[in-house]
Amino acid sequence: MRVFAFLLAICLMAGCASKPDYYISPAPVTIPKTATYWLDTFDVDVVGKNERFLSDAKVRQQLGVDLINRLLQAKRYATSKDKADYLLDVDVIYTRRIQDTQGGFMTAIVDDNTILASVDFNYSVKIKKADAEILHFSQARQGLMPGGYRGDWQNMKTVAGVLTNSGNSGVESFYTGVLSRFIVDDLRNIPSR
């Protein structure tokens, strides 16, 4: 009996610890797979300032353009705000993880604060209709590094930047050109009931 009670308690704790993929308020929402969106607000907070990398305004612009382009390619971006089925409010925290050995062994090889080791991409998206929020979700993507064939090329350029002590500031445009796919993927995965 004690074993059963213990297993039941574990199951209940696991259920309480899990969270839904989407928060829907106040009642279940139906969003058709063909729904169109309009980017109403797009705020980006850049953490990890460094003059070697893109300015805050440039990061914001490139992330916003990438998001709109991906929605256009998916045929999910409206031609105007008035014609959109839903409006999006997007808040992004873009955090640079810049290499800083604080005078350690690596400083003899490459200068501190010249290598963008990875990026954290955290975002919150609110979906509105008639100025009322119907759904919101958020994700925390930590320690992202270039991947895929384009990412492999960026990684080789980073290695070259380390070997020549010139840094890898060019890799940032890779990040700002691919990260918005996470938001579009989440929009596509909203359940249509």
Side-chain angles (χ1 to χ4, degrees):
M1 186 65 165
R2 288 182 185 171
V3 174
F4 176 75
F6 176 74
L7 290 174
L8 180 62
I10 295 294
C11 290
L12 287 174
M13 286 191 301
C16 293
S18 64
K19 56 185 178 180
D21 292 335
Y22 297 95
Y23 170 82
I24 300 174
S25 170
V29 177
T30 300
I31 296 182
K33 291 290 184 190
T34 58
T36 58
Y37 302 99
W38 182 263
L39 192 57
D40 198 29
T41 62
F42 186 71
D43 295 319
V44 177
D45 182 21
V46 179
V47 178
K49 311 284 189 225
N50 190 308
E51 67 279 350
R52 295 183 64 92
F53 300 102
L54 297 174
S55 68
D56 292 3
K58 194 70 171 169
V59 168
R60 181 187 185 282
Q61 176 196 16
Q62 289 184 359
L63 286 171
V65 166
D66 181 51
L67 177 58
I68 291 171
N69 283 340
R70 288 177 186 278
L71 287 169
L72 283 168
Q73 289 170 357
K75 296 182 172 63
R76 301 295 294 274
Y77 199 70
T79 55
S80 70
K81 184 176 180 177
D82 296 335
K83 293 181 180 178
D85 297 321
Y86 300 95
L87 301 178
L88 300 176
D89 289 339
V90 179
D91 291 313
V92 171
I93 300 174
Y94 175 89
T95 305
R96 295 180 180 117
R97 291 190 182 192
I98 299 171
Q99 179 263 340
D100 184 3
T101 59
Q102 301 177 353
F105 173 72
M106 280 301 293
T107 302
I109 301 169
V110 62
D111 291 336
D112 281 345
N113 300 321
T114 60
I115 301 296
L116 182 59
S118 64
V119 166
D120 297 343
F121 186 66
N122 305 318
Y123 55 90
S124 173
V125 178
K126 292 180 185 173
I127 301 175
K128 302 181 300 186
K129 187 171 186 118
D131 292 327
E133 178 185 322
I134 62 161
L135 180 145
H136 75 258
F137 59 88
S138 60
Q139 295 281 353
R141 310 270 183 183
Q142 306 293 319
L144 300 174
M145 299 177 72
Y149 69 92
R150 286 182 56 216
D152 291 342
W153 176 246
Q154 292 299 326
N155 289 329
M156 286 191 287
K157 289 167 63 175
T158 295
V159 170
V162 168
L163 294 175
T164 61
N165 203 16
S166 60
N168 69 340
S169 59
V171 76
E172 191 157 37
S173 59
F174 172 82
Y175 285 115
T176 58
V178 299
L179 292 178
S180 292
R181 74 180 161 89
F182 292 124
I183 297 172
V184 175
D185 288 348
D186 284 345
L187 289 170
R188 281 186 181 139
N189 292 329
I190 294 173
S192 62
R193 298 185 175 123

